Protein backbone atom coordinates (compact mmCIF):
# COMPACT_ATOMS: atom_id res chain seq x y z
CA UNK A 1 0.00 0.00 0.00
CA UNK A 2 1.24 3.48 -0.89
CA UNK A 3 0.66 6.57 1.23
CA UNK A 4 1.42 10.25 0.68
CA UNK A 5 1.55 12.38 3.80
CA UNK A 6 1.69 16.17 3.61
CA UNK A 7 2.84 18.66 6.20
CA UNK A 8 3.61 22.35 6.47
CA UNK A 9 0.33 24.11 5.85
CA UNK A 10 -1.00 26.87 8.05
CA UNK A 11 -1.99 30.50 8.36
CA UNK A 12 0.31 33.23 7.10
CA UNK A 13 0.01 36.91 6.28
CA UNK A 14 0.18 38.16 2.74
CA UNK A 15 3.79 38.43 1.62
CA UNK A 16 4.87 35.63 3.90
CA UNK A 17 6.26 32.19 3.16
CA UNK A 18 5.41 28.57 3.82
CA UNK A 19 7.08 25.31 2.92
CA UNK A 20 5.03 22.21 2.22
CA UNK A 21 6.44 18.69 2.36
CA UNK A 22 5.03 15.42 1.10
CA UNK A 23 6.57 12.03 1.81
CA UNK A 24 5.59 8.92 -0.12
CA UNK A 25 5.88 5.63 1.74
CA UNK A 26 4.85 2.01 1.49
CA UNK A 27 5.33 -0.58 -1.22
CA UNK A 28 6.88 1.61 -3.90
CA UNK A 29 8.82 0.29 -6.87
CA UNK A 30 9.28 3.57 -8.70
CA UNK A 31 8.07 7.17 -8.67
CA UNK A 32 7.74 9.13 -11.87
CA UNK A 33 6.42 12.66 -11.44
CA UNK A 34 5.33 14.28 -8.19
CA UNK A 35 3.41 17.47 -7.81
CA UNK A 36 1.17 19.80 -5.91
CA UNK A 37 -2.42 20.70 -6.69
CA UNK A 38 -4.76 23.04 -4.87
CA UNK A 39 -8.47 23.50 -4.52
CA UNK A 40 -10.11 26.67 -3.27
CA UNK A 41 -13.73 26.72 -2.09
CA UNK A 42 -16.11 26.57 -5.04
CA UNK A 43 -13.31 26.01 -7.54
CA UNK A 44 -11.88 23.03 -9.35
CA UNK A 45 -8.64 21.41 -8.30
CA UNK A 46 -5.75 22.89 -10.28
CA UNK A 47 -2.12 22.05 -10.84
CA UNK A 48 0.29 24.28 -8.93
CA UNK A 49 3.63 22.69 -9.76
CA UNK A 50 5.08 19.35 -10.81
CA UNK A 51 8.52 17.80 -11.02
CA UNK A 52 9.74 14.72 -12.86
CA UNK A 53 12.15 12.11 -11.55
CA UNK A 54 15.01 13.88 -13.34
CA UNK A 55 14.10 17.33 -12.07
CA UNK A 56 12.15 18.93 -14.89
CA UNK A 57 9.58 21.32 -13.47
CA UNK A 58 6.28 22.82 -14.52
CA UNK A 59 4.41 25.67 -12.81
CA UNK A 60 1.03 27.31 -13.06
CA UNK A 61 1.37 30.83 -14.43
CA UNK A 62 -0.12 32.25 -11.24
CA UNK A 63 2.76 30.97 -9.08
CA UNK A 64 5.76 31.34 -11.39
CA UNK A 65 8.52 33.30 -9.73
CA UNK A 66 7.00 32.85 -6.27
CA UNK A 67 6.83 29.08 -5.72
CA UNK A 68 9.60 26.52 -6.10
CA UNK A 69 9.10 22.77 -6.27
CA UNK A 70 11.93 20.42 -5.39
CA UNK A 71 12.39 16.76 -4.71
CA UNK A 72 14.57 14.37 -2.72
CA UNK A 73 14.43 11.07 -4.58
CA UNK A 74 16.29 9.22 -1.82
CA UNK A 75 13.54 10.18 0.62
CA UNK A 76 10.64 9.93 -1.83
CA UNK A 77 9.75 13.45 -0.76
CA UNK A 78 8.60 16.50 -2.66
CA UNK A 79 8.64 20.06 -1.35
CA UNK A 80 6.89 23.27 -2.28
CA UNK A 81 8.50 26.51 -1.15
CA UNK A 82 5.91 29.26 -1.33
CA UNK A 83 7.08 32.86 -1.12
CA UNK A 84 5.30 36.18 -1.54
CA UNK A 85 2.02 34.52 -0.70
CA UNK A 86 -1.22 36.19 -1.70
CA UNK A 87 -4.76 35.80 -0.34
CA UNK A 88 -5.71 34.13 -3.62
CA UNK A 89 -3.26 31.33 -2.79
CA UNK A 90 -5.62 30.24 -0.02
CA UNK A 91 -6.70 26.66 -0.70
CA UNK A 92 -6.29 23.06 0.33
CA UNK A 93 -3.04 21.83 -1.18
CA UNK A 94 -2.82 18.21 -2.28
CA UNK A 95 0.28 16.20 -3.01
CA UNK A 96 0.22 13.91 -6.03
CA UNK A 97 2.56 11.11 -6.99
CA UNK A 98 2.64 9.08 -10.21
CA UNK A 99 3.82 5.83 -8.67
CA UNK A 100 4.52 2.26 -9.71
CA UNK A 101 3.73 0.14 -6.66
CA UNK A 102 5.56 -3.05 -5.76
CA UNK A 103 3.72 -5.94 -7.35
CA UNK A 104 1.76 -3.62 -9.58
CA UNK A 105 1.45 -3.54 -13.35
CA UNK A 106 1.45 0.16 -14.18
CA UNK A 107 1.95 3.64 -12.84
CA UNK A 108 -1.05 5.22 -11.17
CA UNK A 109 -1.84 8.44 -9.35
CA UNK A 110 -1.82 8.61 -5.57
CA UNK A 111 -3.01 11.56 -3.50
CA UNK A 112 -2.32 12.93 -0.06
CA UNK A 113 -5.05 13.95 2.34
CA UNK A 114 -4.53 17.66 1.76
CA UNK A 115 -3.19 20.48 3.89
CA UNK A 116 -4.85 23.86 4.39
CA UNK A 117 -2.99 27.01 3.42
CA UNK A 118 -4.64 30.27 4.44
CA UNK A 119 -3.19 33.64 3.49
CA UNK A 120 -4.65 36.64 5.28
CA UNK A 121 -4.66 40.12 3.77
Amino acid sequence: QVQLVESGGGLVQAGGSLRLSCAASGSIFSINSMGWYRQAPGKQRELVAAITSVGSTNYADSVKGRFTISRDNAKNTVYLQMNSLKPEDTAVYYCNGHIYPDGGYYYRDYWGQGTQVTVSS
Side-chain angles (χ1 to χ4, degrees), residues 40-57:
K43 295 188 177 181
Q44 289 189 330
R45 190 174 296 191
E46 63 175 359
L47 173 69
V48 176
I51 185 168
T52 69
S53 59
V54 294
S56 296
T57 58

Side-chain angles (χ1 to χ4, degrees), residues 19-88:
R19 189 189 193 214
L20 305 182
S21 299
C22 171
S25 63
S27 301
I28 297 170
F29 178 76
S30 176
I31 301 178
N32 189 353
S33 63
M34 299 187 78
W36 292 93
Y37 289 70
R38 67 186 181 187
Q39 187 166 19
K43 295 188 177 181
Q44 289 189 330
R45 190 174 296 191
E46 63 175 359
L47 173 69
V48 176
I51 185 168
T52 69
S53 59
V54 294
S56 296
T57 58
N58 181 39
Y59 294 93
D61 288 343
S62 59
V63 307
K64 283 180 181 177
R66 300 188 298 121
F67 291 9
T68 302
I69 190 169
S70 61
R71 178 170 171 172
D72 186 334
N73 289 333
K75 296 181 179 180
N76 289 339
T77 299
V78 64
Y79 305 95
L80 186 67
Q81 178 66 44
M82 304 185 292
N83 298 329
S84 302
L85 282 160
K86 305 175 181 179
E88 50 264 43

